[in-house]
PDB file of all heavy atoms in Angstrom:
ATOM      1  N   VAL N  75     104.805 -54.316 142.392  1.00 90.00           N
ATOM      2  CA  VAL N  75     105.232 -55.692 142.126  1.00 90.00           C
ATOM      3  C   VAL N  75     106.160 -56.225 143.210  1.00 90.00           C
ATOM      4  O   VAL N  75     106.564 -57.390 143.148  1.00 90.00           O
ATOM      5  CB  VAL N  75     105.921 -55.805 140.750  1.00 90.00           C
ATOM      6  CG1 VAL N  75     104.937 -55.549 139.635  1.00 90.00           C
ATOM      7  CG2 VAL N  75     107.098 -54.852 140.658  1.00 90.00           C
ATOM      8  N   LEU N 161     117.595 -39.118 141.951  1.00 92.00           N
ATOM      9  CA  LEU N 161     118.818 -38.454 142.383  1.00 92.00           C
ATOM     10  C   LEU N 161     119.359 -37.547 141.277  1.00 92.00           C
ATOM     11  O   LEU N 161     119.222 -37.848 140.085  1.00 92.00           O
ATOM     12  CB  LEU N 161     119.886 -39.480 142.766  1.00 92.00           C
ATOM     13  CG  LEU N 161     119.644 -40.310 144.039  1.00 92.00           C
ATOM     14  CD1 LEU N 161     120.776 -41.308 144.225  1.00 92.00           C
ATOM     15  CD2 LEU N 161     119.523 -39.416 145.251  1.00 92.00           C
ATOM     16  N   ALA N 185     115.888 -49.227 144.349  1.00 94.00           N
ATOM     17  CA  ALA N 185     114.607 -49.568 143.729  1.00 94.00           C
ATOM     18  C   ALA N 185     114.171 -48.402 142.850  1.00 94.00           C
ATOM     19  O   ALA N 185     114.335 -47.237 143.228  1.00 94.00           O
ATOM     20  CB  ALA N 185     113.537 -49.851 144.782  1.00 94.00           C
ATOM     21  N   LEU N 205     111.699 -57.013 138.142  1.00 92.00           N
ATOM     22  CA  LEU N 205     110.532 -57.664 138.725  1.00 92.00           C
ATOM     23  C   LEU N 205     109.385 -57.585 137.730  1.00 92.00           C
ATOM     24  O   LEU N 205     109.027 -56.493 137.250  1.00 92.00           O
ATOM     25  CB  LEU N 205     110.141 -57.006 140.047  1.00 92.00           C
ATOM     26  CG  LEU N 205     110.933 -57.488 141.277  1.00 92.00           C
ATOM     27  CD1 LEU N 205     112.401 -57.074 141.202  1.00 92.00           C
ATOM     28  CD2 LEU N 205     110.318 -56.957 142.561  1.00 92.00           C
ATOM     29  N   HIS N 257      82.848 -51.828 149.896  1.00 86.00           N
ATOM     30  CA  HIS N 257      81.706 -51.456 149.065  1.00 86.00           C
ATOM     31  C   HIS N 257      80.551 -52.439 149.219  1.00 86.00           C
ATOM     32  O   HIS N 257      79.385 -52.041 149.223  1.00 86.00           O
ATOM     33  CB  HIS N 257      82.155 -51.386 147.606  1.00 86.00           C
ATOM     34  CG  HIS N 257      81.069 -50.965 146.653  1.00 86.00           C
ATOM     35  ND1 HIS N 257      80.716 -49.646 146.470  1.00 86.00           N
ATOM     36  CD2 HIS N 257      80.260 -51.691 145.830  1.00 86.00           C
ATOM     37  CE1 HIS N 257      79.739 -49.573 145.586  1.00 86.00           C
ATOM     38  NE2 HIS N 257      79.454 -50.801 145.170  1.00 86.00           N
ATOM     39  N   ARG N 293      71.447 -51.928 116.764  1.00 93.00           N
ATOM     40  CA  ARG N 293      71.579 -52.698 118.000  1.00 93.00           C
ATOM     41  C   ARG N 293      72.892 -52.394 118.708  1.00 93.00           C
ATOM     42  O   ARG N 293      72.964 -52.402 119.935  1.00 93.00           O
ATOM     43  CB  ARG N 293      71.481 -54.189 117.690  1.00 93.00           C
ATOM     44  CG  ARG N 293      70.121 -54.597 117.135  1.00 93.00           C
ATOM     45  CD  ARG N 293      70.030 -56.087 116.892  1.00 93.00           C
ATOM     46  NE  ARG N 293      70.039 -56.830 118.132  1.00 93.00           N
ATOM     47  CZ  ARG N 293      69.967 -58.159 118.209  1.00 93.00           C
ATOM     48  NH1 ARG N 293      69.881 -58.868 117.084  1.00 93.00           N
ATOM     49  NH2 ARG N 293      69.977 -58.772 119.363  1.00 93.00           N
ATOM     50  N   GLU N 303      74.214 -45.740 130.289  1.00 87.00           N
ATOM     51  CA  GLU N 303      73.236 -45.364 131.305  1.00 87.00           C
ATOM     52  C   GLU N 303      73.495 -46.048 132.636  1.00 87.00           C
ATOM     53  O   GLU N 303      73.158 -45.520 133.700  1.00 87.00           O
ATOM     54  CB  GLU N 303      71.824 -45.703 130.813  1.00 87.00           C
ATOM     55  CG  GLU N 303      71.353 -44.825 129.657  1.00 87.00           C
ATOM     56  CD  GLU N 303      69.987 -45.236 129.152  1.00 87.00           C
ATOM     57  OE1 GLU N 303      69.440 -46.228 129.688  1.00 87.00           O
ATOM     58  OE2 GLU N 303      69.471 -44.587 128.222  1.00 87.00           O
ATOM     59  N   LEU N 352      85.589 -65.715 112.304  1.00 88.00           N
ATOM     60  CA  LEU N 352      86.078 -64.426 111.808  1.00 88.00           C
ATOM     61  C   LEU N 352      87.489 -64.578 111.252  1.00 88.00           C
ATOM     62  O   LEU N 352      88.319 -65.266 111.841  1.00 88.00           O
ATOM     63  CB  LEU N 352      86.065 -63.384 112.922  1.00 88.00           C
ATOM     64  CG  LEU N 352      84.690 -62.990 113.465  1.00 88.00           C
ATOM     65  CD1 LEU N 352      84.837 -62.016 114.624  1.00 88.00           C
ATOM     66  CD2 LEU N 352      83.833 -62.377 112.372  1.00 88.00           C
ATOM     67  N   VAL N 371      87.820 -40.713 121.545  1.00 93.00           N
ATOM     68  CA  VAL N 371      86.777 -40.682 122.589  1.00 93.00           C
ATOM     69  C   VAL N 371      87.314 -40.031 123.853  1.00 93.00           C
ATOM     70  O   VAL N 371      86.623 -39.240 124.511  1.00 93.00           O
ATOM     71  CB  VAL N 371      86.274 -42.114 122.864  1.00 93.00           C
ATOM     72  CG1 VAL N 371      85.282 -42.127 124.021  1.00 93.00           C
ATOM     73  CG2 VAL N 371      85.639 -42.697 121.614  1.00 93.00           C
ATOM     74  N   GLU N 458      80.487 -46.103  96.306  1.00 40.00           N
ATOM     75  CA  GLU N 458      79.187 -46.353  96.913  1.00 40.00           C
ATOM     76  C   GLU N 458      78.122 -45.514  96.230  1.00 40.00           C
ATOM     77  O   GLU N 458      78.333 -44.344  95.914  1.00 40.00           O
ATOM     78  CB  GLU N 458      79.235 -46.030  98.403  1.00 40.00           C
ATOM     79  CG  GLU N 458      80.213 -46.894  99.168  1.00 40.00           C
ATOM     80  CD  GLU N 458      80.252 -46.503 100.625  1.00 40.00           C
ATOM     81  OE1 GLU N 458      79.588 -45.521 100.970  1.00 40.00           O
ATOM     82  OE2 GLU N 458      80.941 -47.178 101.395  1.00 40.00           O
ATOM     83  N   GLU N 460      73.490 -45.152  96.079  1.00 40.00           N
ATOM     84  CA  GLU N 460      72.278 -45.460  96.817  1.00 40.00           C
ATOM     85  C   GLU N 460      71.567 -46.678  96.268  1.00 40.00           C
ATOM     86  O   GLU N 460      70.651 -47.193  96.875  1.00 40.00           O
ATOM     87  CB  GLU N 460      71.317 -44.249  96.772  1.00 40.00           C
ATOM     88  CG  GLU N 460      71.872 -43.021  97.482  1.00 40.00           C
ATOM     89  CD  GLU N 460      72.105 -43.318  98.950  1.00 40.00           C
ATOM     90  OE1 GLU N 460      71.368 -44.119  99.530  1.00 40.00           O
ATOM     91  OE2 GLU N 460      73.052 -42.750  99.516  1.00 40.00           O
ATOM     92  N   VAL N 466      77.180 -58.030  92.711  1.00 41.00           N
ATOM     93  CA  VAL N 466      78.142 -57.131  92.078  1.00 41.00           C
ATOM     94  C   VAL N 466      78.994 -57.972  91.147  1.00 41.00           C
ATOM     95  O   VAL N 466      79.700 -58.872  91.599  1.00 41.00           O
ATOM     96  CB  VAL N 466      79.022 -56.423  93.132  1.00 41.00           C
ATOM     97  CG1 VAL N 466      80.027 -55.527  92.424  1.00 41.00           C
ATOM     98  CG2 VAL N 466      78.165 -55.617  94.076  1.00 41.00           C
ATOM     99  N   GLY N 555     121.812 -64.877  89.180  1.00 83.00           N
ATOM    100  CA  GLY N 555     122.583 -65.408  88.052  1.00 83.00           C
ATOM    101  C   GLY N 555     123.758 -64.512  87.713  1.00 83.00           C
ATOM    102  O   GLY N 555     124.157 -63.631  88.479  1.00 83.00           O
TER     103      GLY N 555
END
Side-chain angles (χ1 to χ4, degrees):
V75 293
L161 291 178
L205 277 67
H257 182 81
R293 296 182 68 180
E303 291 177 358
L352 295 176
V371 175
E458 298 178 355
E460 295 299 328
V466 179

